[in-house]
Amino acid sequence: MGQDYYAVLELGRGASDGDIKEAYRVLALRNHPLKCKEPWAPERFRQLAEAYDVLSDPRKKGVYDKFGEEGLKGGVPLEFGTENSWSDGYVFHNNPYKVFKDFFGGDNPFAEFFTKDGSEPNMAFGGLRGRGARKQDPPIERELYLALEDLFYGCTKKIKISRRVMNEDGQSTSIRDKILTIDVQPGWKQGTRITFEKEGDQGPNIIPADITFVVHEKPHPRFKRAGDDLIYVATIPLVKALVGCAVAVRTLDGRLLNIPVNDVVHPAYCKVVPTEGMPLPQAPARRGDLVIRFDVVFPKQLTPHKKKLLKMALLG
């Protein structure tokens, strides 16, 4: 059995054109997804639009009244024409918002909601405030991986996103690409958040989500970051740990530092080189420190003679 369009509009079969229009007006406003937040509202809104689309058109209504939904959609024999000639079947365009907009025209009480940029709706229409108010989609987070050099110098990153945007009709949407530009500032740290407001998917009944990029530092072959400082691990043999040495460090900006180490390098020892670390985010002209830690390589074996010499040198 086919769909009963009269029952959808809560009407009897003898309903007049005026009854059909009034029923659609009341029910479409009551069940519009912007006002009714029940999960079944979009489907109910679509059914109302299809029922009104059929019953408000004299030709479609005439076929439906005589042959039902099956005849309307499957086609019926033409009363006048060649043998085996059938009418084209009815297909609903499946855009209930178009039916709604065409019905209300310039007096559409929901016109304020169909903003192309997805901004906050104007809650001027009575009954829409509160329960019917649109809520913004939750924020979208994306990871932004940056090299330590990017965070040292600063840079500009252009990121292409694909999102759903409103079309000119104010109801349908399409997928389009957009380039977002991030100006990375010297000294930004892991966890820095960059938010682009309302750059998420648009729609006639949603406020687009904010898109937030969260900075993640890529591993570096020479340095590890600790706040505003840079940690460098120098591998030296035991003899240099005891008698002193110079450590060569290539900086992020390409300079070669030769740092003298005259102290005895014990397990907890580190050498601090001031102002050779990362730029400070609040004052990029200032920098943190370079902290050199040591991995001391012990000999795998010693000859008896070397042991004797070491004992004499260390024990006196």
Side-chain angles (χ1 to χ4, degrees), residues 76-90:
V76 296
L78 295 174
E79 191 170 348
F80 302 102
T82 59
E83 186 177 359
N84 297 327
S85 181
W86 289 67
S87 67
D88 294 330
Y90 165 74

Side-chain angles (χ1 to χ4, degrees), residues 68-210:
E69 185 189 18
E70 293 88 345
L72 177 69
K73 295 184 175 180
V76 296
L78 295 174
E79 191 170 348
F80 302 102
T82 59
E83 186 177 359
N84 297 327
S85 181
W86 289 67
S87 67
D88 294 330
Y90 165 74
V91 178
F92 181 52
H93 51 66
N94 216 31
N95 186 353
Y97 296 99
K98 181 179 185 304
V99 176
F100 183 88
K101 191 174 182 180
D102 290 345
F103 180 88
F104 286 97
D107 296 326
N108 179 0
F110 289 99
E112 296 91 341
F113 286 83
F114 300 115
T115 55
K116 295 178 183 178
D117 63 357
S119 59
E120 286 280 358
N122 186 331
M123 294 300 179
F125 181 67
L128 291 180
R129 188 177 300 275
R131 184 183 179 205
R134 296 188 304 168
K135 294 183 178 179
Q136 186 175 22
D137 283 349
I140 300 168
E141 288 195 359
R142 295 189 177 183
E143 296 174 334
L144 177 63
Y145 284 92
L146 297 173
L148 204 52
E149 286 82 358
D150 293 334
L151 297 168
F152 181 84
Y153 286 108
C155 64
T156 297
K157 295 290 183 180
K158 294 185 180 295
I159 301 173
K160 182 171 75 172
I161 63 169
S162 296
R163 61 174 187 156
R164 191 172 294 279
V165 300
M166 295 295 299
N167 293 327
E168 293 297 324
D169 60 11
Q171 305 297 333
S172 60
T173 61
S174 57
I175 300 295
R176 296 180 190 173
D177 292 337
K178 182 173 182 178
I179 302 296
L180 300 180
T181 301
I182 299 177
D183 292 321
V184 178
Q185 300 301 308
W188 274 6
K189 299 179 181 179
Q190 173 119 345
T192 297
R193 303 170 70 86
I194 309 98
T195 298
F196 293 85
E197 295 185 353
K198 298 177 182 176
E199 290 290 356
D201 289 340
Q202 297 177 0
N205 60 346
I206 62 171
I207 300 172
D210 295 340

Side-chain angles (χ1 to χ4, degrees), residues 226-243:
D228 297 318
D229 297 336
L230 290 175
I231 309 298
Y232 179 82
V233 177
T235 301
I236 61 174
L238 177 60
V239 62
K240 290 187 177 182
L242 296 175
V243 303

Side-chain angles (χ1 to χ4, degrees), residues 59-77:
R59 184 186 63 81
K60 287 183 281 192
K61 181 176 181 295
V63 174
Y64 173 75
D65 286 344
K66 188 172 183 180
F67 298 101
E69 185 189 18
E70 293 88 345
L72 177 69
K73 295 184 175 180
V76 296

